[in-house]
Amino acid sequence: MSHDSGFARLPAPPYYAVIFSSQRNGLDPAGYDAAAARLFDLVQEQPGFLGAESARDAGGFGITVAYFTDEAAIAAWREHTEHRAAREYGREHWYAQYQLRIARVERAYGGHPADAAPVAAVEEEA
């Protein structure tokens, strides 16, 4: 699941990432938003789902990364009845183009740059 920063809270790797890149066609934004909200509610109940991160630009290009414990959890989500119906509908009505990629995450790291000393202060001390 995501928390306020937009980052998913994830366990230590390994785990899997399902990367969905799409270009919306601009049609039926309200219907798309309602379906996306419903699917996010459903996937959170899916065994093996770890969290998701998503962004979309003003031109309609978006990327959603959903994280799962293993390939079996991904396959189960793929076969979920409502998810399957939404995918089929989306291909016909909402997307000009899309790509789906599945990857195993072997390493993950990051931090909080806002917590670090400002670059100018570090350079002045050196």
Side-chain angles (χ1 to χ4, degrees), residues 76-117:
W77 175 237
R78 178 172 168 53
E79 295 307 316
H80 187 284
T81 303
E82 274 190 71
H83 181 220
R84 186 172 49 239
R87 281 196 326 267
E88 292 171 11
Y89 189 87
R91 290 176 187 148
E92 296 290 323
H93 300 291
W94 292 321
Y95 300 117
Q97 183 176 352
Y98 69 91
Q99 290 289 320
L100 184 82
R101 298 168 181 100
I102 299 173
R104 181 179 158 105
V105 177
E106 297 288 340
R107 289 180 301 283
Y109 54 91
H112 302 277
D115 295 341

Side-chain angles (χ1 to χ4, degrees), residues 1-3 7-10 40 44 49-52:
M1 292 180 254
S2 296
H3 61 289
F7 286 93
R9 295 179 191 211
L10 299 168
F40 188 68
Q44 290 181 84
F49 175 73
L50 298 173

Side-chain angles (χ1 to χ4, degrees), residues 24-40:
R24 292 280 320 280
N25 61 16
L27 302 177
D28 188 23
Y32 178 86
D33 291 346
R38 172 69 179 149
L39 289 175
F40 188 68

